[in-house]
Amino acid sequence: MFFRKQRVWNTLDDVINGTCEMLDHGARTFNHPWHWPVLGTLGDTGVCQRTVILRSYEEADRTLICHSDLRAEKIRQIRNDARIGFLFYDSKEKIQLRVSGTATIHTDDPISDAHWKGTPLVSRMNYCTTEPPGAPLERPESGLPEFVTKEAAKLADSQAGRENFAAICCRFDRMDWLKLGLTGHRRARFFWWEDRLDGSWVVP
């Protein structure tokens, strides 16, 4: 269980500092609500959204990292247009966070190697499907080949699925923070311009 402390949100610095803490907890804690954000990309028919797992948050360079199958449609979409956004919501804190920025895809470099190394077996198996995500099936099934399900224990130290693994890194430069309340909501916006941060309160 993750620790919740009472936070105050009276200044823009409170919002920035508290949000950084929540993102850090979200990346490190499985049952934190911000561990499961919605990722939005731009596709041929408009905005495409899906739930992902926040694998890492680097406060120093405002980077969020999630994983993907390299064959997934969102990879093609990001390669066509690197602008992406994340949506977070904490139902207990009543806080919604929207961040957007530019994504990079990492497949065969130190970043992807480090994230693959830290990926548990149960997650590595997801990258072993014979067909890419979204391929049609005649019946509901995982898409995993028989050898994966039968010899899963032997895959723990193997590279099976590594070629299909990718880390998506997003350096965000815009943030929209909303705190819901019975006596009125609070909302703030932030923009990063190179090394300068502009923040302001706005009408919710």
Side-chain angles (χ1 to χ4, degrees):
M1 180 178 295
F2 62 90
F3 174 70
R4 286 184 182 270
K5 68 178 182 180
Q6 191 66 33
R7 296 185 176 90
V8 294
W9 308 97
N10 295 327
T11 68
L12 294 174
D13 284 340
D14 290 339
V15 174
I16 288 289
N17 294 333
T19 297
C20 288
E21 289 181 8
M22 292 177 70
L23 286 171
D24 183 61
H25 283 303
R28 294 186 293 106
T29 311
F30 180 81
N31 63 345
H32 192 287
W34 283 14
H35 192 63
W36 308 85
V38 172
L39 169 64
T41 55
L42 295 171
D44 298 334
T45 59
V47 177
C48 300
Q49 298 171 310
R50 76 286 288 162
T51 301
V52 297
I53 297 176
L54 180 62
R55 300 293 184 176
S56 178
Y57 166 61
E58 303 295 336
E59 181 179 350
D61 55 5
R62 307 188 310 277
T63 299
L64 304 171
I65 301 179
C66 64
H67 297 167
S68 174
D69 191 305
L70 186 58
R71 303 164 296 174
E73 184 67 11
K74 61 180 171 290
I75 296 294
R76 185 187 68 81
Q77 292 168 349
I78 292 172
R79 283 176 170 165
N80 288 338
D81 192 326
R83 294 174 297 171
I84 68 172
F86 285 89
L87 170 65
F88 300 84
Y89 184 67
D90 185 323
S91 61
K92 291 186 178 180
E93 293 275 5
K94 297 295 187 294
I95 290 177
Q96 173 187 274
L97 181 72
R98 293 182 293 163
V99 298
S100 59
T102 303
T104 54
I105 299 169
H106 300 264
T107 60
D108 188 17
D109 59 13
I111 291 176
S112 59
D113 287 342
H115 277 265
W116 175 259
K117 185 177 181 180
T119 300
L121 171 62
V122 66
S123 296
R124 287 190 179 192
M125 290 177 61
N126 296 323
Y127 303 100
C128 295
T129 58
T130 304
E131 299 296 326
L137 295 169
E138 294 182 358
R139 59 184 181 278
E141 58 179 274
S142 68
L144 293 170
E146 187 175 357
F147 84 91
V148 172
T149 55
K150 285 190 174 182
E151 302 184 27
K154 297 180 182 179
L155 296 174
D157 298 319
S158 77
Q159 290 293 94
R162 176 63 180 88
E163 65 181 357
N164 297 324
F165 175 82
I168 299 173
C169 300
C170 174
R171 178 179 170 85
F172 62 86
D173 51 26
R174 296 189 176 205
M175 186 171 86
D176 190 299
W177 176 91
L178 175 66
K179 169 74 171 175
L180 303 177
L182 293 177
T183 58
H185 311 322
R186 294 184 181 184
R187 184 180 179 189
R189 283 179 179 164
F190 301 88
F191 301 87
W192 283 265
W193 310 95
E194 295 182 351
D195 294 328
R196 188 179 88 249
L197 169 62
D198 293 334
S200 62
W201 297 106
V202 297
V203 177

